[in-house]
C-alpha cells in the first residue's frame, strides 16, 4: 500500500498529511491557521482566533454538570517553507528531504479530528471540549505566552506534544540561564608584569572557579534527573594573543529543575562559590553570577486524578502507559503557572498520542499506526473523564 491508498482509507491519516503538507515554520503559520479555520467552518466546528492568531475551538457541553477538558498543540514546526512531500515507508510516514513536522502536526491532527467527530455527536454526555492551537512553540513560545487564558474554561489540560504513544508526563524542568563573569582589572603584559602578585589572569581565575562549580546531575529521584547544571561555554582572551594578562572571563550555564527547592539549593551553592572566590581575591579580581529565568518550572501536581485516569484508560485498550517526568521544556510549563477563566490554576500534562522519532531532522518520521491508536486512547480518556 502506498500513502495515497492509505489516505483514502483513513481520514485521520489524510488529515495529518494535509496539515503536514502545509509548511509552517515558527512565526510563519498563517497558511495552516487559515486552513484549520476553513476546515472548522466547513464542518461547523465553533472556532475563533485571538489577536496573535492562536486558534480556540469549543465544542459545547451536552451535560453542564460535567467539567470541560482542554487539548493543546502547537502549529509551528522546525524547518523552512519549502514543500513537504510525505511518503509511506512501511508503517512510517516520512517527508522527502526535510522535516516532516509530525512535531506537532500529529498532535494537531488528533485533536482536530477528535473535535470534528465529537461535534457531530449528540448522544455522548460530556462537559465540553476545548482545543487550543498555538503559534511559535519551537522558537520563543510567543503563541502560548500571548494566549488569552480568559477564553479557556477547562482546568485540566492535555498538551499533545510528547513523542511516544502512551506517555503522560507530570512535571518538567525549568530553564535558568546563569551568566558567570570574572574581572581582574589590572591586566598587563605577560612578560613585564607576570611577577606582580597584585595581578591575576582572568582566564586562569575563571577556570579555577568553574572547577568549583557543580556540573551534570545535581539531584535525581527514582533514576530520573530532577535538577541539573551544565556549562554552555567559556570565553576569555584571544587564542592568537598570548602576551596579555587577561582582564575578563565569561561562562554560561543551563540550570534545569522540576523541583523549586533543589533549584534554589543549586543556585545558592553557585553563589557561595562566587562569594568564597571574592573573599580570596579581594582587591585583585571579582566574580559575579546572574540568574535569568528562561522557562518557568512545571512542578508535579499533587492532584493525581488525571494521571490515574490516563493510566487506566491506556491499559484498557492495550497500551502500556508511562507516567513520568521530563527534563526539558514545553507549553505545559506556561499552563502550570497560569489560571483559567474561573480563576483556577491549570493542571497540565504532556501527552503522547503518537510515536514520533528523529524530531527536528530530515530523518523525522511518525508511525501512523501509533497515531491511530492514539486517537483511540484520546477517545477512551475523554469517555473516562466524563463518566
Amino acid at each position: 500500500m502506498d500513502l495515497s491508498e492509505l489516505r483514502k482509507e483513513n481520514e485521520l491519516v489524510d488529515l495529518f498529511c494535509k496539515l503536514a503538507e502545509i509548511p509552517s515554520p515558527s512565526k510563519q503559520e498563517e497558511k495552516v491557521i487559515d486552513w484549520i479555520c476553513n476546515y472548522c467552518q466547513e464542518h461547523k466546528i465553533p472556532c475563533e482566533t485571538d489577536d496573535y492568531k492562536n486558534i480556540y475551538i469549543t465544542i459545547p457541553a451536552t451535560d453542564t454538570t460535567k467539567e470541560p477538558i482542554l487539548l493543546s498543540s502547537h502549529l509551528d514546526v522546525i524547518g523552512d517553507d519549502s514543500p513537504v512531500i510525505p511518503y509511506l515507508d512501511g508503517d512510517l510516514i516520512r517527508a522527502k528531504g526535510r522535516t516532516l513536522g509530525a512535531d506537532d502536526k500529529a498532535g494537531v491532527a488528533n485533536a482536530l479530528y477528535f473535535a470534528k467527530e465529537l461535534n457531530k455527536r449528540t448522544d455522548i454526555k460530556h462537559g465540553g471540549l476545548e482545543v487550543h492551537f498555538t503559534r511559535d512553540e519551537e522558537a520563543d513560545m510567543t503563541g502560548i505566552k500571548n494566549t488569552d487564558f480568559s477564553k479557556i474554561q477547562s482546568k485540566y489540560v492535555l498538551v499533545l506534544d510528547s513523542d511516544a504513544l502512551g506517555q503522560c508526563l507530570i512535571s518538567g524542568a525549568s530553564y535558568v540561564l546563569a551568566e558567570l563573569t570574572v574581572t581582574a582589572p589590572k591586566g598587563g603584559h605577560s612578560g613585564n608584569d607576570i611577577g606582580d602578585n597584585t595581578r591575576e589572569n582572568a582566564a586562569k581565575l575563571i577556570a579555577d572557579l568553574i572547577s568549583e562549580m557543580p556540573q551534570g546531575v545535581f539531584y535525581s529521584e527514582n533514576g530520573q534527573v530532577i535538577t541539573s547544571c551544565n556549562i554552555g561555554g567559556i570565553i576569555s582572551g584571544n587564542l592568537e594573543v598570548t602576551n596579555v594578562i587577561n582582564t575578563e572571563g565569561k561562562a554560561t550555564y543551563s540550570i534545569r529543575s522540576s523541583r523549586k527547592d533543589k533549584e534554589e539549593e543549586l543556585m545558592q551553592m553557585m553563589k557561595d562559590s562566587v562569594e568564597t572566590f571574592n573573599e580570596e581575591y579581594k582587591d585583585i579580581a571579582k566574580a559575579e553570577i546572574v540568574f535569568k529565568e528562561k522557562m518557568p518550572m512545571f512542578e508535579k501536581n499533587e492532584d493525581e486524578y488525571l494521571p490515574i485516569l490516563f493510566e487506566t484508560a491506556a491499559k484498557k485498550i492495550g497500551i502500556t502507559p508511562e507516567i513520568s517526568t521530563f527534563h526539558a521544556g514545553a507549553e505545559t510549563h506556561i499552563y502550570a503557572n497560569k489560571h483559567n477563566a474561573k480563576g483556577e490554576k491549570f493542571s497540565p500534562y504532556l501527552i503522547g498520542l503518537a510515536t514520533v522519532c528523529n524530531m527536528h531532522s530530515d530523518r523525522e518520521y511518525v508511525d501512523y499506526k501509533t497515531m491511530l491508536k492514539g486517537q483511540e486512547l484520546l477517545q477512551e480518556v475523554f469517555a473516562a473523564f466524563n463518566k
Side-chain angles (χ1 to χ4, degrees), residues 200-221:
E200 290 285 353
N201 191 313
K204 170 64 163 61
L205 293 181
I206 197 167
D208 289 345
L209 181 52
I210 287 168
S211 71
E212 299 297 320
M213 292 289 187
Q215 169 60 36
V217 177
F218 179 74
Y219 179 76
S220 61
E221 288 179 353

Side-chain angles (χ1 to χ4, degrees), residues 1-19 21 35 39 88 91 93 106 109-110 112-114 116-117 353 366-376 379:
M1 179 186 296
D2 63 17
L3 186 57
S4 61
E5 293 174 314
L6 178 61
R7 291 176 67 167
K8 289 177 183 177
E9 289 184 5
N10 192 281
E11 187 178 347
L12 176 57
V13 172
D14 184 54
L15 177 58
F16 166 75
C17 290
K18 285 176 177 175
L19 290 165
E21 286 167 343
W35 191 93
Y39 179 90
L88 193 62
D91 292 340
I93 300 176
N110 255 316
L112 188 57
Y113 178 81
F114 183 76
K116 179 186 76 74
E117 292 299 300
L353 294 186
V366 60
D367 181 331
Y368 83 85
K369 289 184 178 178
T370 65
M371 187 161 56
L372 302 183
K373 195 67 175 177
Q375 181 64 205
E376 186 181 349
Q379 293 171 7

Side-chain angles (χ1 to χ4, degrees), residues 147-255:
T147 287
D148 183 353
F149 293 103
S150 69
K151 292 179 179 292
I152 299 173
Q153 301 292 321
S154 302
K155 173 184 176 182
Y156 292 103
V157 183
L158 306 184
V159 178
L160 311 181
D161 193 21
S162 188
D163 60 0
L165 174 65
Q167 281 187 332
C168 176
L169 305 183
I170 58 177
S171 66
S174 60
Y175 166 38
V176 173
L177 170 66
E179 297 176 324
L180 177 66
T181 304
V182 171
T183 54
K186 275 194 173 182
H189 187 275
S190 66
N192 298 335
D193 302 311
I194 199 71
D196 182 353
N197 61 12
T198 67
R199 301 172 194 266
E200 290 285 353
N201 191 313
K204 170 64 163 61
L205 293 181
I206 197 167
D208 289 345
L209 181 52
I210 287 168
S211 71
E212 299 297 320
M213 292 289 187
Q215 169 60 36
V217 177
F218 179 74
Y219 179 76
S220 61
E221 288 179 353
N222 302 318
Q224 294 184 326
V225 177
I226 302 299
T227 307
S228 69
C229 181
N230 182 67
I231 188 165
I234 310 167
I235 298 174
S236 186
N238 184 331
L239 293 177
E240 304 300 322
V241 181
T242 61
N243 63 351
V244 173
I245 298 174
N246 297 298
T247 59
E248 186 174 70
K250 293 183 177 181
T252 57
Y253 285 87
S254 166
I255 295 172

Side-chain angles (χ1 to χ4, degrees), residues 19-36 52-55 74-84 98 105 134-143:
L19 290 165
E21 286 167 343
I22 306 170
S24 55
S26 300
K27 298 185 176 74
Q28 299 179 49
E29 306 94 344
E30 291 80 5
K31 290 181 180 178
V32 75
I33 292 169
D34 290 344
W35 191 93
I36 291 173
Y52 202 71
K53 299 291 283 185
N54 293 312
I55 296 175
H74 65 87
L75 299 166
D76 63 316
V77 303
I78 294 294
D80 56 23
D81 60 358
S82 61
V84 183
R98 60 154 294 155
K105 298 286 178 68
T134 59
R135 303 178 58 194
D136 187 35
E137 187 269 354
E138 299 288 4
D140 299 310
M141 287 202 180
T142 58

